Amino acid sequence: MLNALSSNKYRAKIGENKHFLLKHSVGSIPHNNEIDVPLNYADYYYIEALIRAKKYNTLNTL
């Protein structure tokens, strides 16, 4: 999942997408709210996942 989110399809280039990291985020499909827009909490959870993956990979290489 992190590889897919880090691809050009989902990750914005620096300075684009109003400076958000991820493109095509979704808040709530059932409520038809925040569909295909940049979301600050999507970026937050993406960064959180990257940090955890880095820590996990570091621990497993010892």
Side-chain angles (χ1 to χ4, degrees):
M1 185 176 7
L2 289 177
N3 287 334
L5 287 173
S6 297
S7 72
N8 290 334
K9 183 175 181 179
Y10 295 105
R11 178 93 195 282
K13 293 182 181 176
I14 295 174
E16 294 181 351
N17 200 38
K18 300 179 184 176
H19 301 285
F20 285 85
L21 297 177
L22 296 176
K23 306 181 281 188
H24 313 297
S25 299
V26 176
S28 175
I29 290 175
H31 295 102
N32 197 31
N33 189 21
E34 298 176 322
I35 308 287
D36 196 22
V37 296
L39 299 170
N40 60 351
Y41 55 92
D43 283 0
Y44 170 84
Y45 287 115
Y46 173 64
I47 292 171
E48 179 74 21
L50 290 173
I51 291 169
R52 288 180 184 212
K54 182 178 179 180
K55 287 180 183 177
Y56 178 80
N57 289 332
T58 303
L59 290 175
N60 285 330
T61 59
L62 298 178

